[in-house]
Amino acid sequence: MNVCYILDGVLILYGIILTVLYCRLRMRPSNKASGSQPEKQPAGGGIYAGLTSRTSDTYETIKMDKKPIV
């Protein structure tokens, strides 16, 4: 019975510590994080400039002849 009380205490302490760490992470000022993100590139260039679409369909239909039901 005493082991259950000890385990409950450890679980409550663990929950409190995780809650405090989560709140500290969420309350951190956002201006520091925005400086580390890269800026968006213009739509006309960038990494997608040389890509073209394929002319043929990706999925081709299989032509199967239906057998008559006898």
Side-chain angles (χ1 to χ4, degrees):
M1 190 68 128
N2 291 336
V3 174
C4 290
Y5 293 129
I6 293 172
L7 291 176
D8 285 342
V10 169
L11 185 61
I12 290 171
L13 184 64
Y14 181 71
I16 291 171
I17 290 172
L18 284 181
T19 303
V20 168
L21 290 175
Y22 177 75
C23 289
R24 284 183 58 196
L25 182 66
R26 297 296 293 172
M27 298 297 170
R28 187 177 293 174
S30 62
N31 58 2
K32 291 180 182 177
S34 65
S36 64
Q37 295 176 352
E39 295 181 12
K40 292 183 179 180
Q41 295 180 353
I47 59 173
Y48 300 112
L51 298 179
T52 58
S53 62
R54 293 174 28 175
T55 57
S56 64
D57 191 15
T58 303
Y59 301 102
E60 296 179 12
T61 306
I62 298 174
K63 307 288 184 192
M64 294 183 62
D65 295 330
K66 293 185 178 179
K67 296 180 182 179
I69 300 174
V70 178

